[in-house]
Amino acid sequence: MDILIEVHSATNGLEGLTLTNAVPNYDLIITDFKMPKMNGLEFIQKLRENHNYRQTPVMFFTGYLPELKEHAGNLENVFLFDKPFISDKIKTNIKMCLKL
């Protein structure tokens, strides 16, 4: 069975929000914490304001996990990954989020 996966990318959180405003639904969003113009935490908070993306799974990568742990409990359906990360763990989580 062939599976088609379409990927869109943005260079910062503001571009990411522009994409999510233009596309009615993504199955999975992957973001980093340290980004120019808007960090990943701000991006996720703004993303959740859009009713189409309130429950969309988000994979959140960071080298600043200790700083984000206090916010982790407030982020619903967000999976935190500390850098450097293990690629097999990411593959498993992507498959789970996309129900592959």
Side-chain angles (χ1 to χ4, degrees), residues 30-35 39-41 44 59-69 72 75 78-85 90:
I30 300 172
T31 189
D32 194 9
F33 176 60
K34 285 283 191 180
M35 296 187 291
N39 70 41
L41 183 59
I44 293 169
M59 295 175 72
F60 194 9
F61 293 89
T62 182
Y64 302 89
L65 193 58
E67 293 175 36
L68 293 174
K69 284 216 179 215
L75 301 174
V78 173
F79 306 95
L80 286 172
F81 291 88
D82 197 14
K83 292 179 183 176
F85 50 83
I90 293 168

Side-chain angles (χ1 to χ4, degrees), residues 12-14 17 33-40 42-43 46:
N12 61 60
L14 288 177
L17 285 178
F33 176 60
K34 285 283 191 180
M35 296 187 291
K37 300 184 182 180
M38 177 185 289
N39 70 41
E42 295 166 331
F43 168 73
K46 289 285 187 189

Side-chain angles (χ1 to χ4, degrees), residues 38-98:
M38 177 185 289
N39 70 41
L41 183 59
E42 295 166 331
F43 168 73
I44 293 169
Q45 290 167 338
K46 289 285 187 189
L47 176 74
R48 294 300 193 222
E49 292 175 9
N50 181 332
H51 73 276
N52 290 331
Y53 292 102
R54 288 203 178 118
Q55 295 300 315
T56 302
V58 175
M59 295 175 72
F60 194 9
F61 293 89
T62 182
Y64 302 89
L65 193 58
E67 293 175 36
L68 293 174
K69 284 216 179 215
E70 67 183 72
H71 299 286
N74 299 328
L75 301 174
E76 190 173 330
N77 214 14
V78 173
F79 306 95
L80 286 172
F81 291 88
D82 197 14
K83 292 179 183 176
F85 50 83
I86 302 168
S87 63
D88 288 342
K89 182 178 178 185
I90 293 168
K91 290 176 191 176
T92 300
N93 278 274
I94 289 173
K95 287 178 181 179
M96 179 189 69
C97 289
L98 298 178

